Amino acid sequence: VLRELFRSPEFAASAGMKVKRPVDWLYSALRVTRADIPSDPMGTSATTLRQATKMLGQPLFERPSPDGWPDKAPVWSSSQGLLRRWEGAGRLARNALTDASKPDRIVVDPSALLPVPLPGTARDLITAWSESVCQRTISAADADAMCAAIGVAPGDAATAVTTRPERSSGVLGLLL
């Protein structure tokens, strides 16, 4: 039965069609970035994560009806929902999700996520990073657009991205 399901045209056509609910997206982003998250359930980081789920439109334990949060793409793929995810991804990648002056904060180290060995060009780095961190292949055009967004040429050495933390975190935020 599974073989028939997996070989069906409907199954093949459904690839990439699922949109994660905001909480699932947030937890996935924290997992793939290997974010260091303090474990105190009453600490600043825990409070920030609860606020982040609310900002994303899916506050924890606050569904107004008992039927659970919807699992359909149109519910979560609004322009506001996507802008909130982009904002959250950028803040996470820049370590701005929590207050940097607090000891109880969420920390992401983009350099720890870089592929080894480092690819030769900025485009190749972004493509490899997408595959290793997000398990998604991106087109050369998308990688080039990310290069433009962080101010490097696609053919520049990968070190043009890795030696400037704001560029590395910019790419990571765009990938998320």
Side-chain angles (χ1 to χ4, degrees), residues 43-142:
T44 305
S45 294
T47 301
T48 298
L49 290 176
R50 285 190 293 276
Q51 291 168 346
T53 62
K54 188 172 188 172
M55 184 258 319
L56 289 166
Q58 190 183 3
L60 292 178
F61 310 117
E62 293 185 30
R63 174 76 177 152
S65 60
D67 58 348
W69 291 102
D71 198 21
K72 304 289 184 200
V75 174
W76 303 114
S77 52
S78 67
S79 56
Q80 179 183 358
L82 293 174
L83 285 171
R84 300 280 171 114
R85 288 179 193 222
W86 290 335
E87 178 188 356
R91 290 179 64 207
L92 175 63
R94 291 188 323 272
N95 288 310
L97 200 57
T98 49
D99 186 348
S101 67
K102 306 273 184 183
D104 175 24
R105 63 190 191 106
I106 298 169
V107 177
V108 171
D109 180 7
S111 65
L113 303 171
L114 292 170
V116 177
L118 198 63
T121 66
R123 176 192 296 136
D124 293 340
L125 170 64
I126 292 170
T127 302
W129 218 0
S130 178
E131 290 174 2
S132 67
V133 172
C134 300
Q135 290 82 47
R136 291 203 179 249
T137 302
I138 61 170
S139 67
D142 287 342

